[in-house]
Amino acid sequence: MTQTVLIANRGEIARRVIRTAKQMGFQTVAVYSDADANMPHVRDADMAVHIGPSPAAESYLLIEKIIDAAKQTGATMIHPGYGFLSENTDFAKACADAGMTFVGAPAAAITAMGLKDAAKDLMTKAGVPVVPGYNGGDQAPGRLKAAAKDIGYPVIIKAVAGGGGKGMRIVHDDASFFELLTACKGEAERAFGNDHVLIEKYINAPRHVEVQVFSDTHGNHVHLFDRDCSIQRRHQKIIEEAPAPGIPDAVREKMYAAAVQAAKAVDYVGAGTIEFIMDAKTFDFYFMEMNTRLQVEHPVTEEITGVDLVEWQLRVAMGEAIPLKQEDITQSGHAVEVRLYAEDAENGFLPSTGRLEQLYLHGAEGIRIESGVEKGREISPFYDPMIAKLIASGPSRARAANALIAALDRSGVEGVKTNRAFLARVLRTQAFGQQALTTAFLEDHAGEIAAPSEAPKSAYHAAAIAACAFDGSGPHDWTDWALLGVLRLNGPQIKTVMLQLACGPASAVAVKRHNKARFEIAGAFYSLGSRGPHRLEINGQVFGYALTSTSAEIRSEGQTYAFARPDGLHGKDTAAKGSGIITSPMPGSVLSIGVREGDHVEAGDGVLVLEAMKMEHKMIAPRAGAVKALRVTAGSQVKDGDVLVEIGDA
Ligand code: ADP
């Protein structure tokens, strides 16, 4: 009898699971909310069931709705993906009660690893090293502060129920302890309904190294080597790779043994990840937490081992043994993954919502693309704003990284801001090449990673010529200027292009075209030589370029200049710059307001905190001045574009 598997998730992970399930001969069922009715994961599946309105709490997180959908479609197995209900014991139990197989960890193991304090206790008993700290039940602020002092500053306060970096606060001294404790507890209560915290020694600039484990119902526990996920923003991973580079073999072996020991200690079944924090110099490592599900970054492990982890999950869930013995699991080559997000990397990584006017992800030999969206669809405020994962694999780390840089350079997204150029700049840093990975990577190399705020004249001119010469609808399309209706003044045609580097002022560049290959800007003449979809030659100099109607990217001599084109599709975005009006970048709710009417603020001062897309966003004053009007109060629900605060002249 054909088995039917329902995927209680959305986006790329739903598609990923559906792909393997189909290859294995399963019938597949997708579920979807209002916002996702037209998403690719719905089409990919053999059947699809609508489960409710767009907010996850009213759809993807509703256990009953999902169980009903499974009953309706005759599903016998439920794969939860990651996030949502993947580590929810009530859900695991509900599946069992309905006679369905939950493709995930046993409820007892999820519970044992669910709270960071209990998990640390358990690991200590199992002989797995943990970060020194306090994880007792006495939550009196004075007791916690005394613990911090004993451990020795700096310490990190974490929500025991935490996840996704939420609530974590680093404390450097006694003086700020209570304030940061209150902040952590508040965020923890709001996010997890549990304000218990633990205190840990803060390890300065550590690495995040994790081990993939797999267990079955026959008592077999294996590992599938390690991954490095040190490059993070807001304590969330953005670049991951396997193997974790530069770790001595003896340390790796110890880490694998500890990871397998951890899995055994909770009678684990299925795919799991043991996360360690590692001292980048001494390679000392400590257990941080176990994720009892498939990870976002599982593809890098698949690429180096050749194992389909989703296939293993489904087999193990059906009661089969793990297909390979430990000694038969091997790795070769190197894989690097980046998470392409709809976010403003130049502006505090603020999620960017909107319609994907264009989406081109450059596939090539050795590049794997996992995406849950497509051109024309919305990046909505309801879910994680990930557009795609790009995974490069190759015989060496450098080869994989270079392939990934090329893929990023050649991909293009229009309609929302993305971290595409940012990711490419991170991969291009010297430190990345030298494997100097720590969780402080982005801060430590901020200067090198920052989008250049000044560009040489040649880059401006190359961008302007490219923008004039190609119309952006396709890389080979040579614009017919006559059709554009451009100004013609006694001979040459003139077109003006607005170009703006991140954070810099926009400048208008007037391009005169004498003929198809001869241009003039500010009295300087340029002849356009050979040109291809990604390269063009101007006065003998070769530039890489990528164009959309809202951006022009120029690469020359190892540097990338990403210009925005404010006169393009989204000109409205920049119109309000310099004004004192702070608008909400997305729907959300106002958590707190840090100013009163009449207060003086400096440009860059925090004004209020908005909670949106499961994150807290500090809204800052765009200019100095006096707070003229507060349009919202703490707790206000706001829509995209609502005016929050007006700042005027003092
Ligand atoms: P969450 O469950 O909220 O994701 P984790 O405990 O997994 O939190 O930690 C997330 C990240 O925070 C780690 O990858 C690391 O960058 C940082 N971190 C956590 N604990 C420590 C610590 N003791 N010292 C330094 N950094 C830490």
Side-chain angles (χ1 to χ4, degrees):
M1 200 187 81
T2 331
Q3 294 243 40
T4 300
V5 52
L6 178 142
I7 298 90
N9 215 303
R10 63 181 300 281
E12 68 88 15
I13 193 60
R15 303 188 79 187
R16 163 76 192 87
V17 175
I18 290 169
R19 195 167 72 222
T20 289
K22 280 190 164 174
Q23 281 163 3
M24 292 172 71
F26 290 105
Q27 285 285 306
T28 54
V29 183
V31 291
Y32 63 96
S33 66
D34 287 348
D36 283 347
N38 296 313
M39 284 295 186
H41 79 274
V42 176
R43 277 200 315 272
D44 283 2
D46 298 302
M47 289 170 272
V49 182
H50 175 246
I51 50 166
S54 306
E58 297 167 39
S59 50
Y60 296 105
L61 290 172
L62 283 185
I63 294 176
E64 222 171 285
K65 284 275 181 80
I66 289 174
I67 301 286
D68 279 350
K71 284 184 183 152
Q72 256 176 60
T73 50
T76 46
M77 301 174 86
I78 299 190
H79 193 301
Y82 51 69
F84 293 139
L85 296 170
S86 60
E87 293 175 286
N88 184 310
T89 47
D90 291 338
F91 184 56
K93 285 184 197 132
C95 293
D97 290 347
M100 293 159 193
T101 307
F102 174 69
V103 186
I110 300 178
T111 306
M113 290 297 188
L115 293 178
K116 291 185 198 291
D117 52 349
K120 277 183 89 169
D121 274 344
L122 193 72
M123 288 301 106
T124 309
K125 287 193 192 102
V128 177
V130 302
V131 186
Y134 171 80
N135 53 322
D138 185 349
Q139 293 281 308
R143 175 72 188 90
L144 294 171
K145 187 171 173 179
K149 203 167 187 140
D150 281 352
I151 297 162
Y153 289 104
V155 299
I156 185 165
I157 312 178
K158 290 186 188 178
V160 300
K166 277 221 154 194
M168 290 196 309
R169 293 290 186 283
I170 299 156
V171 194
H172 291 277
D173 50 34
D174 259 349
S176 55
F177 186 84
F178 286 132
E179 184 191 331
L180 293 169
L181 176 66
T182 308
C184 173
K185 279 183 172 279
E187 207 170 308
E189 178 63 45
R190 282 192 298 276
F192 314 110
N194 176 348
D195 75 348
H196 277 218
V197 298
L198 59 79
I199 319 261
E200 258 175 19
K201 177 85 196 148
Y202 180 68
I203 300 174
N204 200 31
R207 288 174 69 171
H208 174 120
V209 181
E210 57 185 35
V211 177
Q212 175 74 54
V213 292
F214 228 102
S215 306
D216 62 23
T217 49
H218 306 272
N220 299 307
H221 302 274
V222 299
H223 69 81
L224 291 97
F225 312 106
D226 47 71
R227 298 184 282 256
D228 189 297
C229 313
S230 297
I231 302 190
Q232 308 177 344
R233 53 121 179 78
R234 302 171 184 269
H235 299 296
Q236 288 174 342
K237 304 160 186 170
I238 51 171
I239 301 183
E240 303 103 343
E241 59 182 295
I247 298 177
D249 284 345
V251 174
R252 279 190 215 276
E253 290 307 326
K254 267 203 241 161
M255 211 167 48
Y256 301 153
V260 169
Q261 193 52 42
K264 276 188 188 155
V266 288
D267 293 322
Y268 200 68
V269 177
T273 295
I274 314 290
E275 296 189 334
F276 295 106
I277 194 162
M278 179 181 273
D279 188 308
K281 292 203 182 71
T282 62
F283 299 109
D284 287 336
F285 62 87
Y286 309 96
F287 169 86
M288 204 162 33
E289 66 170 347
M290 177 170 192
N291 288 323
T292 50
R293 53 169 165 81
L294 196 65
Q295 301 271 92
V296 177
E297 61 273 21
H298 75 276
V300 291
T301 297
E302 295 187 323
E303 291 305 314
I304 61 161
T305 58
V307 168
D308 180 333
L309 290 170
V310 174
E311 179 187 338
W312 280 25
Q313 282 191 297
L314 293 167
R315 290 195 183 285
V316 163
M318 290 187 294
E320 292 181 25
I322 295 170
L324 292 178
K325 295 215 158 28
Q326 183 69 69
E327 55 272 27
D328 298 325
I329 304 172
T330 56
Q331 59 176 338
S332 75
H334 201 96
V336 186
E337 172 181 283
V338 291
R339 301 189 191 183
L340 181 65
Y341 275 106
E343 66 183 16
D344 190 351
E346 272 74 46
N347 221 332
F349 302 101
L350 204 67
S352 170
T353 55
R355 201 174 107 99
L356 290 165
E357 305 290 352
Q358 287 292 345
L359 175 62
Y360 171 68
L361 300 169
H362 188 85
E365 172 92 22
I367 298 286
R368 167 173 165 186
I369 295 171
E370 299 283 353
S371 176
V373 293
E374 61 194 356
K375 182 182 157 184
R377 302 281 161 240
E378 295 276 326
I379 296 292
S380 78
F382 301 107
Y383 319 109
D384 184 77
M386 189 159 78
I387 296 171
K389 304 188 298 203
L390 270 61
I391 305 108
S393 48
S396 69
R397 183 172 185 270
R399 290 272 287 273
N402 286 334
L404 199 49
I405 292 171
L408 284 167
D409 281 348
R410 281 156 195 211
S411 297
V413 186
E414 248 183 279
V416 294
K417 298 198 174 90
T418 76
N419 64 347
R420 184 187 57 82
F422 176 85
L423 290 167
R425 290 198 301 272
V426 174
L427 293 172
R428 280 191 166 98
T429 55
Q430 230 186 355
F432 186 85
Q434 292 166 347
Q435 315 185 351
L437 304 174
T438 78
T439 57
F441 192 93
L442 299 183
E443 291 88 54
D444 286 353
H445 306 289
E448 196 182 345
I449 297 166
S453 60
E454 276 177 52
K457 201 172 73 181
S458 62
Y460 266 100
H461 290 184
I465 291 170
C468 286
F470 306 104
D471 71 2
S473 63
H476 294 292
D477 302 326
W478 183 253
T479 306
D480 183 346
W481 285 43
L483 286 179
L484 284 174
V486 291
L487 203 59
R488 180 178 262 284
L489 285 174
N490 322 316
Q493 295 159 297
I494 299 180
K495 195 173 155 189
T496 305
V497 189
M498 292 288 286
L499 294 172
Q500 179 179 33
L501 270 178
C503 311
S507 51
V509 185
V511 182
K512 276 190 201 172
R513 190 182 85 146
H514 293 274
N515 62 46
K516 270 193 169 187
R518 191 164 169 79
F519 296 82
E520 182 189 342
I521 301 173
F525 287 90
Y526 295 97
S527 40
L528 189 56
S530 67
R531 53 185 183 266
H534 309 291
R535 290 179 171 276
L536 85 168
E537 192 192 313
I538 300 173
N539 286 356
Q541 188 182 350
V542 175
F543 295 91
Y545 76 94
L547 274 185
T548 71
S549 61
T550 52
S551 69
E553 193 173 288
I554 290 294
R555 288 181 292 280
S556 96
E557 289 163 357
Q559 190 53 273
T560 302
Y561 304 99
F563 298 96
R565 297 171 62 188
D567 53 347
L569 259 181
H570 290 267
K572 62 177 168 61
D573 277 6
T574 44
K577 271 224 171 108
S579 85
I581 296 178
I582 305 177
T583 56
S584 174
M586 66 197 103
S589 62
V590 176
L591 267 184
S592 63
I593 302 182
V595 293
R596 279 173 310 197
E597 283 184 11
D599 281 0
H600 178 81
V601 291
E602 292 296 332
D605 281 355
V607 171
L608 61 76
V609 180
L610 189 71
E611 180 166 37
M613 302 190 81
K614 299 190 289 181
M615 281 195 269
E616 295 184 8
H617 307 284
K618 192 155 122 192
M619 307 296 298
I620 56 168
R623 51 164 283 191
V627 177
K628 283 265 177 267
L630 284 176
R631 299 284 182 207
V632 288
T633 53
S636 297
Q637 295 290 323
V638 294
K639 295 193 302 294
D640 189 3
D642 279 0
V643 174
L644 305 173
V645 182
E646 288 174 30
I647 292 162
D649 293 327

